[in-house]
Amino acid sequence: MIWILLVLLYGILKGLREIAKKKALKKNSVMEVLVQYTFLSFLLVLPQAPNAGGLEPKFFVFIAIKAVAVFLAWICSFHSLKELPVSLYGIIDLSRVLFATSFGVFLLGEPLSFLQALGLVIVCSGLLLLKFRPPFLAKLLKYQGNTEAQIVSKSTDISASSISEQAQSTEKKRRTTIFVILALASCLLNAISGFLDKVLMKDISSSQLQFWYTFFMILYYLIYVLVTRTKISRTVWKNKWIWLLAIMFIIGDKALFIANGIPESRITVMTLIKQGGCIVTILGGYFVFKEKNIAYRLFCATVIIIGILIGMINI
């Protein structure tokens, strides 16, 4: 099925985009990257302008709502990705499966087979393993962090340096929790965007959706910059990662919009396929950013991918 290949292409490009985002954020601030990223994306879709006309007013409203969801999702995701390891962020991002599947089943009335439900349960299990690490698994996969047993043993040390380290550790965990929440908020907002894609592509073309969606996005960021008086450095033009981001974004979204326009495609299945990009981010975390705990994260991702594959049986 062509729509499966298109969604798979989107998933791979999405995984590569997370790596490019992390690289881009090392050179410029979150808002600088977002504004330039959106502006370049709009320039790339300008050739589609002649095919973007003829929309009824109601569709402009829905596209504007979709753009708001993505506008907020990007702010949340870029801030969390800047602080979290890209491999960890990639796995957290898989939680959008839960939101998107819920929208597909309860709002679009898509059927959820036994195997898809089983796959969803396994996906949830993989996400829970990421948060609640069983000590035997952490030891087996050489997780470099504090297990519950280690925390208990360390609590007996009441020296000043120990108290200071514990305070720093608590603050780090608090900040990590905040950025994980932002990542989850981004997943929810992206799921809303995906739901609107499926609804809109029943009546409009991919060129119409992509052009007006990016138009509204650049409009929102322009308003944000003017209201907050955010300064954009000229160095963003020299950030090659932003250019690469924009190219992958336009190609990936085009493939996804076309897939959404194919009547046989289903949002529940498409959401599962998209998550294959998680492996790309985990491998990128290891090879590009030299991150630790890759073995355990890869194990969690494998559990999730198995759930995805089970959910795709007999589609």
Side-chain angles (χ1 to χ4, degrees):
M1 296 182 185
I2 186 65
W3 65 271
I4 292 180
L5 295 177
L6 289 170
V7 177
L8 185 60
L9 172 61
Y10 170 86
I12 294 172
L13 289 174
K14 181 180 179 300
L16 292 172
R17 271 165 45 202
E18 306 305 343
I19 298 171
K21 288 176 188 177
K22 190 78 172 179
K23 282 287 190 179
L25 289 168
K26 289 183 177 295
K27 295 185 177 182
N28 293 99
S29 69
V30 168
M31 290 313 301
E32 285 178 333
V33 173
L34 280 173
V35 171
Q36 185 71 355
Y37 174 30
T38 308
F39 178 71
L40 291 176
S41 299
F42 181 66
L43 291 181
L44 290 173
V45 300
L46 274 178
Q48 300 184 51
N51 301 320
L55 284 180
E56 296 180 24
K58 66 178 181 180
F59 291 121
F60 284 109
V61 175
F62 286 120
I63 294 174
I65 294 173
K66 168 188 165 59
V68 168
V70 178
F71 167 73
L72 296 174
W74 281 6
I75 291 177
C76 292
S77 65
F78 272 67
H79 276 291
S80 60
L81 184 58
K82 186 178 178 68
E83 300 295 331
L84 297 175
V86 67
S87 55
L88 176 60
Y89 176 85
I91 302 177
I92 294 173
D93 192 57
L94 292 175
S95 61
R96 70 172 65 189
V97 171
L98 308 178
F99 299 120
T101 301
S102 298
F103 291 151
V105 173
F106 296 110
L107 298 182
L108 293 179
E110 293 183 357
L112 188 66
S113 68
F114 170 76
L115 287 176
Q116 285 179 314
L118 177 61
L120 198 59
V121 170
I122 296 175
V123 167
C124 293
S125 300
L127 292 170
L128 288 173
L129 283 172
L130 185 64
K131 174 62 178 176
F132 304 102
R133 298 177 290 274
F136 75 94
L137 275 180
K139 183 177 180 180
L140 179 65
L141 297 170
K142 298 179 180 180
Y143 185 90
Q144 297 181 18
N146 291 330
T147 61
E148 291 182 5
Q150 291 172 321
I151 291 173
V152 170
S153 64
K154 288 182 179 180
S155 66
T156 58
D157 184 358
I158 58 174
S159 65
S161 60
S162 177
I163 294 174
S164 176
E165 289 176 2
Q166 288 180 8
Q168 291 177 4
S169 177
T170 301
E171 175 62 20
K172 183 178 179 180
K173 288 180 180 179
R174 187 188 68 82
R175 285 178 56 81
T176 299
T177 300
I178 291 172
F179 291 117
V180 167
I181 292 173
L182 286 177
L184 291 172
S186 171
C187 292
L188 174 59
L189 291 165
N190 277 312
I192 293 173
S193 171
F195 166 73
L196 289 172
D197 286 344
K198 188 61 180 175
V199 173
L200 288 166
M201 286 304 299
K202 293 179 180 179
D203 300 293
I204 66 178
S205 69
S206 60
S207 294
Q208 289 173 319
L209 178 55
Q210 194 164 37
F211 176 81
W212 289 110
Y213 151 56
T214 51
F215 171 80
F216 280 115
M217 287 290 290
I218 196 66
L219 183 61
Y220 294 152
Y221 280 113
L222 179 60
I223 294 172
Y224 181 92
V225 168
L226 292 175
V227 171
T228 61
R229 298 182 180 179
T230 301
K231 294 182 179 180
I232 307 299
S233 171
R234 293 182 180 180
T235 60
V236 294
W237 289 99
K238 299 178 182 179
N239 193 332
K240 62 182 180 181
W241 295 104
I242 301 178
W243 291 80
L244 183 59
L245 263 177
I247 293 171
M248 290 192 293
F249 169 64
I250 295 303
I251 295 175
D253 265 23
K254 187 70 173 180
L256 186 62
F257 292 157
I258 293 173
N260 270 296
I262 298 175
E264 293 79 15
S265 66
R266 288 188 291 167
I267 192 172
T268 48
V269 178
M270 290 172 69
T271 302
L272 291 174
I273 299 173
K274 290 178 191 177
Q275 311 317 313
C278 170
I279 300 299
V280 177
T281 60
I282 293 175
L283 295 178
Y286 179 72
F287 290 107
V288 179
F289 300 103
K290 311 301 180 184
E291 294 175 356
K292 298 178 181 179
N293 302 318
I294 294 299
Y296 187 83
R297 290 170 187 168
L298 196 57
F299 169 77
C300 294
T302 301
V303 173
I304 295 171
I305 297 301
I306 289 174
I308 290 173
L309 293 176
I310 290 176
M312 290 175 58
I313 296 175
N314 296 327
I315 61 174

